[in-house]
């Protein structure tokens, strides 16, 4: 009976240690579990892939450093696909750290695909105001974002000369860790203007976006790190997403194992102990 | 006047935005509502400055008065000044800002969030006991959804992703839809109360 008591009251430091090992070891020694493509990820890929060259994609960085492990791989995979397809990429941010991540993604991806700043992609940075920014942007991008992150006048950036309002945007993608984010785009842009909206969110935010998927307000969705890994599979460029999936798989398994051990001991012990 | 002017401004701007959301009248939408939007962004920017100024006021007071652990306030203000001033003067693409963001801020922020995983693991182990039938249903659902969301789940049993999807698209979505409709109705009522001057809590306690 003592064993059952021990199994019901494992020291939290042991749990922390085993969980840490379950994350660190797969990162150091990858297992390479195969990642299947879900329909939601396929839908996002198809939207980008079917756009003709020269189409304009608005990619919004609506997240902070805390969500970077899930959303940075999504941003890299999407940016790689967009620039590789010779689409025009306009990056903005509704969260203040987003613009810095946009710079990092561009600095990583653009040299690989030979994209040129100002001609193929641009980073217009962050504006405070949340939903108001989107309403303003839909009417006049140049007035809402008069300068890019390098303080170059938006009007003087070659690719921005013909991109002035939401009518010039062919696809909106929001990578979002909360509000303002993908939901704000659906409510403020999707409800008022005929532009397709898709995006990616952290895994914990997925349930909140499912009603929008079912209603058709949102087309496709990248779900956390697994969404990034699936997208990397689709574009055949393994990256941070696929690299993290082993760690996520094993850590999920460890948490489930602890829950099951606690319950087995609880049931075997006659449900007396807490 | 202190009461009437804010109520009138709120009413006019609220009605304008509400109408513009559903009916786009080109001249009004571009010139009047567009102007209001510009003002709103400027006000939001000043709100950020006000927030920063308030943080400065509180922490300078702590430093000057030598309050307990005042050095934490000093570190906060120095870090805040460096991270704000450097990109303001030399843009966010400046090497100093990029270095500090990537090597200090991002790691600290990520670490704080990552700690949640450990707390959740420990809390789930302690609290997730099948004491009732409802708890048993919750436990089974959680295991299916967690395994269904990872590649290893499909390796263990091909049904995990399928049933995980079923649980989420049927039950979770139904629950979320109900919550969203309820929250939206609440938001509509609050908005109308604010627009028509019934709710004046934004006056700040007057």
């Amino acid at each position: 009976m003592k064993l059952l008591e021990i199994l019901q009251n494992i020291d939290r430091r042991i749990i922390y240690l085993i969980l840490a090992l379950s994350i660190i070891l797969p990162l150091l020694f990858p297992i390479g579990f195969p990642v299947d493509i879900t329909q939601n990820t396929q839908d996002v890929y198809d939207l980008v892939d079917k756009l003709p060259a020269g189409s304009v994609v608005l990619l919004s960085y609506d997240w902070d450093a805390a969500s970077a492990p899930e959303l940075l791989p999504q941003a890299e995979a999407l940016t790689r696909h967009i620039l590789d397809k010779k689409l025009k990429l306009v990056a903005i941010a509704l969260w203040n750290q987003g613009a810095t991540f946009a710079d990092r993604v561009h600095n990583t991806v653009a040299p690989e695909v030979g994209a040129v700043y100002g001609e193929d992609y641009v980073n217009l940075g962050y504006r405070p105001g949340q939903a108001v920014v989107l309403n303003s942007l839909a009417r006049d991008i140049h007035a809402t974002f008069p300068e890019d992150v390098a303080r170059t006048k938006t009007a003087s950036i070659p690719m921005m000369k013909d991109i002035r309002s939401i009518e010039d945007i062919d696809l909106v993608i929001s990578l979002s860790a909360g509000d303002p984010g993908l939901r704000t785009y659906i409510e403020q842009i999707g409800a008022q203007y005929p532009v397709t909206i898709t995006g990616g969110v952290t895994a914990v935010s997925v349930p909140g976006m499912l009603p929008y998927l079912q209603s058709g307000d949102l087309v496709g969705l990248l779900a956390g790190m697994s969404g990034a890994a699936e997208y990397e599979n689709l574009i055949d460029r393994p990256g941070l997403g696929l690299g993290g999936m082993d760690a996520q798989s094993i850590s999920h398994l460890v948490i489930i194992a602890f829950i099951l051990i606690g319950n087995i001991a609880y049931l075997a012990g006659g449900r007396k102990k807490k | 006047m202190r009461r009437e002017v804010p109520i009138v401004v709120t009413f006019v701007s609220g009605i304008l935005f509400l109408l513009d959301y559903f009916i786009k009248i080109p001249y009004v939408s571009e010139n009047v509502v567009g102007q209001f939007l510009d003002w709103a962004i400027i006000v939001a920017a000043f709100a950020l400055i006000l927030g920063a100024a308030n943080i400065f006021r509180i922490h300078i007071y702590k430093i000057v008065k030598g309050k307990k652990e005042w050095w934490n306030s000093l570190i906060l203000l120095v870090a805040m000044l460096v991270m704000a001033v450097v990109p303001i003067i030399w843009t966010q693409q400046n090497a100093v800002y990029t270095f500090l963001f990537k090597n200090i801020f991002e790691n600290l922020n990520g670490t704080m969030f990552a700690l949640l995983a450990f707390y959740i693991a420990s809390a789930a182990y302690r609290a997730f006991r099948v004491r009732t039938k409802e708890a048993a249903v919750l436990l089974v659902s959680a295991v299916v959804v967690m395994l269904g969301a990872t590649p290893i789940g499909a390796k263990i049993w091909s049904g995990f992703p399928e049933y995980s999807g079923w649980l989420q698209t049927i039950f979770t979505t139904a629950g979320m839809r109900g919550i969203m409709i309820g929250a939206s109705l609440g938001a509509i009522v609050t908005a109308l109360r604010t627009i028509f001057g019934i709710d004046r809590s934004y006056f700040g306690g007057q």
Side-chain angles (χ1 to χ4, degrees):
Chain A
M1 292 305 284
K2 193 159 188 223
L3 177 67
L4 293 177
E5 277 181 34
I6 292 169
L7 289 178
Q8 281 192 71
N9 296 291
I10 299 172
D11 191 295
R12 74 183 62 190
R13 284 166 294 190
I14 295 172
I15 297 173
Y16 293 167
L17 179 67
I18 294 173
L19 188 63
L21 289 173
S22 75
I23 295 167
I24 294 165
L25 290 177
L27 288 174
L28 294 175
F29 310 104
I31 303 160
F33 291 120
V35 176
D36 295 328
I37 312 297
T38 59
Q39 190 55 49
N40 286 335
T41 304
Q42 185 69 51
D43 289 345
V44 178
Y45 175 85
D46 289 344
L47 277 176
V48 175
D49 206 57
K50 284 175 184 167
L51 285 173
S55 300
V56 181
V57 179
L58 179 81
L59 181 57
S60 190
Y61 286 72
D62 309 327
W63 41 284
D64 58 8
S67 304
E70 289 183 277
L71 297 180
L72 186 62
Q74 290 186 8
E76 282 195 7
L78 277 163
T79 302
R80 191 166 275 119
H81 191 199
I82 290 164
L83 293 180
D84 212 27
K85 285 276 302 174
K86 305 295 177 200
L87 308 175
K88 303 289 181 193
L89 175 65
V90 179
I92 64 164
L94 298 182
W95 288 37
N96 58 17
Q97 295 166 37
T100 308
F101 283 110
D103 268 345
R104 188 184 306 174
V105 170
H106 295 160
N107 291 340
T108 307
V109 175
E112 292 175 18
V113 295
V116 178
Y117 187 84
E119 291 177 16
D120 304 308
Y121 67 99
V122 69
N123 182 4
L124 297 181
Y126 161 74
R127 284 291 173 280
Q130 307 193 358
V132 174
V133 173
L134 297 187
N135 267 299
S136 180
L137 167 147
R139 291 172 167 81
D140 190 342
I141 296 173
H142 289 213
T144 313
F145 293 89
E147 296 177 338
D148 70 355
V149 289
R151 308 238 173 92
T152 308
K153 297 283 177 201
T154 305
S156 68
I157 299 171
M159 67 171 269
M160 290 307 294
K161 284 185 177 141
D162 296 325
I163 304 171
R164 307 199 71 90
S165 73
I166 198 70
E167 288 170 11
D168 303 315
I169 305 283
D170 298 294
L171 177 65
V172 172
I173 305 174
S174 167
L175 301 181
S176 155
D179 287 328
L182 188 50
R183 191 196 310 272
T184 322
Y185 274 93
I186 293 166
E187 290 169 353
Q188 301 300 329
I189 301 284
Q192 297 187 75
Y193 302 95
V195 61
T196 305
I197 294 176
T198 187
V201 293
T202 51
V204 75
S205 308
V206 171
M209 301 315 302
L210 292 177
Y212 295 109
L213 269 174
Q214 285 194 350
S215 68
D217 293 310
L218 177 65
V219 184
L221 182 71
L222 300 184
M225 190 182 279
S226 61
E230 291 167 28
Y231 208 94
E232 286 168 5
N233 254 351
L234 283 167
I235 60 170
D236 200 20
R237 285 298 301 267
L240 296 167
L242 277 166
M245 282 315 290
D246 290 341
Q248 195 182 65
S249 286
I250 301 296
S251 58
H252 276 209
L253 212 57
V254 164
I255 293 172
I256 289 167
F258 274 118
I259 293 171
L260 292 179
I261 287 168
N263 276 288
I264 290 165
Y266 171 71
L267 293 171
R271 304 188 180 195
K272 286 172 190 166
K273 299 290 176 187
K274 65 173 181 174
Chain B
M1 285 296 280
R2 286 184 66 193
R3 297 176 69 84
E4 284 79 5
V5 171
I7 289 173
V8 170
V9 170
T10 306
F11 177 78
V12 171
S13 48
I15 291 292
L16 263 176
F17 274 86
L18 193 62
L19 287 177
D20 186 66
Y21 191 86
F22 296 103
I23 308 158
K24 292 271 183 288
I25 303 166
Y27 180 81
V28 177
S29 187
E30 285 165 25
N31 298 300
V32 184
V33 179
Q35 190 66 58
F36 268 72
L37 288 167
D38 289 345
W39 292 344
I41 292 172
I42 293 166
V43 170
F46 273 95
L48 279 180
I49 295 169
L50 193 65
N54 195 38
I55 289 173
F56 260 85
R57 188 179 62 83
I58 291 166
H59 289 279
I60 283 175
Y61 175 80
K62 278 188 173 181
I63 295 164
V64 170
K65 294 285 179 187
K67 296 274 183 187
K68 191 181 172 190
E69 297 180 349
W70 59 269
W71 52 86
N72 286 329
S73 296
L74 184 65
I75 293 168
L76 178 107
L77 292 185
V78 171
M80 201 171 141
L81 266 176
V82 171
M83 291 300 276
V85 170
V86 170
I88 285 172
I89 297 175
W90 294 288
T91 82
Q92 67 165 44
Q93 294 174 326
N94 172 268
V96 174
Y97 171 79
T98 309
F99 178 85
L100 292 172
F101 185 91
K102 186 174 182 181
N103 296 293
I104 298 177
F105 176 76
E106 190 182 331
N107 299 312
L108 289 173
N109 200 344
T111 303
M112 289 301 293
F113 195 62
L115 286 175
L116 273 179
F118 292 90
Y119 291 130
I120 287 171
S122 176
Y125 161 72
R126 276 168 224 294
F128 227 153
R129 298 283 154 86
V130 282
R131 293 190 174 91
T132 60
K133 286 175 190 165
E134 289 84 355
V137 172
L138 195 63
L139 177 68
V140 172
S141 307
V143 169
V144 171
V145 171
M146 278 180 80
L147 285 174
T150 55
I152 201 170
K155 286 288 254 182
I156 295 168
W157 179 44
S158 61
F160 276 129
E162 188 186 333
Y163 284 105
S164 169
W166 180 73
L167 280 169
Q168 291 191 69
T169 50
I170 304 298
F171 296 103
T172 311
T173 308
M176 286 307 301
R177 197 181 292 121
I179 292 168
M180 283 164 58
I181 291 170
S184 302
L185 289 173
I188 290 168
V189 171
T190 307
L192 289 175
R193 284 174 61 85
T194 306
I195 288 170
F196 290 109
I198 300 165
D199 185 345
R200 299 172 190 180
S201 54
Y202 63 93
F203 277 24
Q206 286 182 54

